[in-house]
Amino acid sequence: MSSRRVADDACGIAQAAAVVGDWWSLLVLREIARGHVRFDRLAGELGVSRKILTERLRTLTEHHVLERRPYQDRPPRYEYVLTEQGRGLVPVLVALQDWADRWLLGDGTLTGEAPDHGAEAQRVASLVGETVPLDLRLPGTDGRSHDPVAAAPRPTVLFAYPAAGIPGVPAGHAGPPIPGSAGCTLENRQFRAAWPQFEAAGVAVHGVSTQTPEEQTAFARAEDLPFPLLSDAQLQLTAGLRLPTFRAGQDLRIKRLILVIGPDRTVRHALFPITDIPAAVEQALTLAVADRNAGHASVG
């Protein structure tokens, strides 16, 4: 046995590559993280042959990255879901996307901003008409676990932001400012100011960032926020929607965006990039109210 092979036996990168270091395996994991968990849907989203898809699903299941879950008895049908071990790969998927967005699809600039017609903007725009994955539960600042989409019949305005200030932590603690990263406190305050209008219109508001629940709770209490902030520190929602990110120090942050989501979990509108925070909050309210009124009219 060669010295290279012996080294690979003790190398975590080599061992991980043996399981998921394949084009189709990574894309299968990407789609399952997006909530596409059934064979036919996976085949359609990926445009892959049934033979290749069957092989990759078998390999990932044998390595306990996926598990088969029955959803129909006659004839027997299964869907493929991430195990705890598989969920541990979600940050890897997001890191790969972040690297490609910056170095392959971008110009290498570290920024929380985005061009109007870049790859990230196209990806966010393509969320319109897509469904937010089921089985997502994120810890909130109220101590409870939340679905990022409010229960029907309320539509949801979900705003993602990089990171709000932590009370007691100096502003420069995280390092030099990154373009597009500032304004998170302002955004939360704008939603707080508009909260009575959202509440009167029957529209739920959820904020989300990759900060820890403890960091978000300290901020929410200091700002007296009437809506929950949700922690996507494990990047489940970020991977599920392929949200654009950037790295600030050692932390991966979501770029600022707003989604208007219907009671059926379908994304109705996507606002990105956001350069005028007050205008974006007002626009989100207008769009959510219009969609809600349209839904009431169609039911009537």
Side-chain angles (χ1 to χ4, degrees):
M1 181 178 294
S2 70
S3 59
R4 179 183 179 87
R5 178 57 183 155
V6 171
D8 285 349
D9 287 341
C11 174
I13 295 175
Q15 295 301 308
V19 178
V20 297
D22 167 84
W23 165 277
W24 288 118
S25 293
L26 286 171
L27 295 188
V28 166
L29 291 176
R30 179 196 71 186
E31 292 306 316
I32 289 175
R34 295 178 64 199
H36 303 152
V37 296
R38 297 184 179 179
F39 189 94
D40 289 341
R41 182 65 184 271
L42 285 167
E45 291 290 334
L46 293 169
V48 63
S49 74
R50 299 180 75 85
K51 179 177 183 294
I52 290 176
L53 180 55
T54 298
E55 291 173 349
R56 298 311 187 274
L57 290 171
R58 181 186 301 117
T59 297
L60 292 169
T61 301
E62 289 174 349
H63 283 90
H64 310 293
V65 174
L66 302 177
E67 65 177 342
R68 296 203 313 166
R69 184 170 65 186
Y71 69 89
Q72 178 179 302
D73 293 329
R74 298 183 180 179
R77 294 284 186 270
Y78 298 87
E79 57 190 16
Y80 295 84
V81 297
L82 294 170
T83 62
E84 182 179 358
Q85 182 172 310
R87 288 191 293 273
L89 286 167
V90 166
V92 177
L93 296 176
V94 177
L96 283 171
Q97 175 180 279
D98 178 67
W99 178 81
D101 282 344
R102 179 179 176 185
W103 296 105
L104 303 183
L105 302 175
D107 61 5
T109 301
L110 177 59
T111 178
E113 300 173 341
D116 291 339
H117 304 291
E120 293 170 308
Q122 293 176 20
R123 196 166 67 240
V124 174
S126 72
L127 287 173
V128 176
E130 292 290 322
T131 302
V132 177
L134 290 166
D135 301 327
L136 279 175
R137 294 295 182 272
L138 305 180
T141 46
D142 56 2
R144 297 189 294 117
S145 180
H146 288 261
D147 187 332
V149 181
R154 304 182 82 190
T156 304
V157 168
L158 179 67
F159 70 99
Y161 58 93
I166 304 172
V169 177
H173 181 75
I178 297 171
S181 62
C184 300
T185 298
L186 168 64
E187 185 171 17
N188 275 276
R189 288 174 178 174
Q190 289 290 319
F191 273 106
R192 182 185 65 190
W195 168 252
Q197 296 168 269
F198 281 97
E199 187 71 0
V203 178
V205 174
H206 290 165
V208 62
S209 77
T210 58
Q211 289 177 285
T212 66
E214 294 76 17
E215 291 171 333
Q216 290 181 320
T217 298
F219 172 75
R221 286 175 178 169
E223 293 293 328
D224 193 24
L225 298 180
F227 48 81
L229 300 182
L230 311 181
S231 171
D232 193 31
Q234 301 302 313
L235 304 176
Q236 304 297 312
L237 178 68
T238 301
L241 299 181
R242 295 185 298 166
L243 301 179
T245 59
F246 67 99
R247 191 165 291 279
Q250 299 302 311
D251 300 314
L252 206 62
R253 302 302 191 189
I254 308 172
K255 294 189 177 182
R256 194 182 321 281
L257 59 87
I258 299 176
L259 302 178
V260 178
I261 306 168
D264 60 354
R265 309 187 69 82
T266 300
V267 177
R268 306 294 190 193
H269 306 278
L271 308 182
F272 179 81
I274 292 174
T275 55
D276 185 334
I277 292 174
V281 173
E282 183 177 347
Q283 183 180 6
L285 175 60
T286 299
L287 291 170
V289 169
D291 278 2
R292 182 173 177 80
N293 290 342
H296 284 166
S298 63
V299 171

